[in-house]
Amino acid sequence: MISQKMLIEFSKIEQDTIIELYEVDLTDIIGEKTIFRFHNGLNELRQSIVWQGHVYDPYPIKVSGFQKNGQGTSNRPSMVVSNAFGLITGLSRNYDDLLGAIVTRHQVLAQFLDSVNFEEGNNKADSTQEILSRYIIERMTTLNSETASFELALPCESDGTLLPARVIIAHTCCWKYRSAECGYTCGAVADELDNLTNDITKDKCSHSINGCRLRFGKNSILPFGGFPSSAKLS
């Protein structure tokens, strides 16, 4: 919904710069409030942009493919972000390629930004003047040392449509070791190569079925987070 104030500004021959701010909300995936806020640039002070009191850090991000279509299937925007220092690699490894994360785009006219963005303040600052678009990360399309690409979808098209709600990997457990999904809470067992150890600092799961058996027993029901049977499909 666009406010009357925004419509008036858009109707002018000379329009102010539109600032696009992005939030990536991992709260539902991680289980605690975790929101990354990005903007592909800086404010007048050469600092992070502040909108509605939140800081949007300068970080290479590009989202394209937004369309408004009332007929047929909706568009699938593409989000490309920097993988500097392996940030996205680490997050995708621990949290199922970030599937289900909520991406929010804030479109704001520069004249309405918070006063702290300007050297002499801003008497036109208005935190209510924005256009919001929300999407869900549907899948990761590419990941390398430089960038990561994701396909986005409307929330109404993603709810309950991804079965299972994570990537199918045959022989690798996706659970974080000693997490609630993993369920292991006892002493040290083995390192990441399944070499037995009593040193808790070296205790790391190999994320394999063998690593799971070492901790829960050969004849126990294993909380293995992979899909072994998927490798048997032709």
Side-chain angles (χ1 to χ4, degrees):
M1 192 73 177
I2 303 178
S3 68
Q4 184 66 28
K5 196 172 182 179
M6 291 278 279
L7 286 173
I8 292 174
E9 292 298 327
F10 285 141
S11 66
K12 294 180 179 179
I13 296 177
E14 294 186 5
Q15 299 176 0
D16 199 10
T17 302
I18 298 178
I19 306 296
E20 293 194 346
L21 309 168
Y22 292 95
E23 292 181 1
V24 181
D25 190 344
L26 307 182
T27 301
D28 291 340
I29 299 174
I30 296 178
E32 58 184 45
K33 190 171 183 178
T34 306
I35 301 175
F36 294 96
R37 294 183 172 92
F38 304 126
H39 171 62
N40 195 19
L42 299 167
N43 63 16
E44 183 182 275
L45 305 177
R46 306 301 296 170
Q47 298 173 355
S48 300
I49 281 185
V50 179
W51 172 243
Q52 298 175 337
H54 298 298
V55 176
Y56 289 78
D57 294 317
Y59 195 81
I61 179 171
K62 180 180 180 181
V63 185
S64 59
F66 291 110
Q67 298 177 1
K68 294 186 179 297
N69 184 7
Q71 297 182 341
T73 58
S74 65
N75 59 308
R76 289 287 195 275
S78 174
M79 180 174 72
V80 182
V81 296
S82 169
N83 191 24
F85 311 110
L87 171 65
I88 307 302
T89 297
L91 289 172
S92 65
R93 181 180 299 155
N94 292 331
Y95 303 113
D96 296 334
D97 288 347
L98 305 184
L99 301 185
I102 301 172
V103 177
T104 303
R105 177 179 65 159
H106 300 257
Q107 291 178 287
V108 186
L109 291 175
Q111 63 180 302
F112 296 134
L113 290 174
D114 295 21
S115 296
V116 296
N117 293 286
F118 305 90
E119 186 174 352
E120 299 181 359
N122 182 19
N123 58 14
K124 293 184 179 181
D126 189 341
S127 62
T128 65
Q129 301 305 313
E130 65 175 358
I131 301 174
L132 287 178
S133 303
R134 286 193 174 89
Y135 288 82
I136 300 292
I137 291 182
E138 183 83 350
R139 67 187 180 99
M140 175 183 284
T141 54
T142 61
L143 176 65
N144 55 50
S145 60
E146 297 181 351
T147 62
S149 301
F150 300 90
E151 182 180 278
L152 309 182
L154 290 171
C156 62
E157 293 187 342
S158 295
D159 292 346
T161 61
L162 184 61
L163 298 172
R166 54 193 177 92
V167 177
I168 295 178
I169 303 176
H171 301 301
T172 302
C173 177
C174 296
W175 304 139
K176 183 178 180 181
Y177 184 40
R178 293 182 179 273
S179 66
E181 294 85 0
C182 167
Y184 185 75
T185 58
C186 298
V189 177
D191 63 17
E192 56 192 356
L193 299 178
D194 288 338
N195 297 312
L196 300 181
T197 181
N198 292 321
D199 187 346
I200 193 65
T201 63
K202 297 180 180 179
D203 183 51
K204 298 180 180 179
C205 185
S206 62
H207 292 279
S208 66
I209 293 179
N210 186 54
C212 209
R213 286 172 177 162
L214 287 175
R215 289 161 176 81
F216 295 96
K218 293 182 178 180
N219 299 317
S220 300
I221 297 177
L222 304 177
F224 185 68
F227 299 84
S229 61
S230 66
K232 300 176 182 179
L233 299 177
S234 58

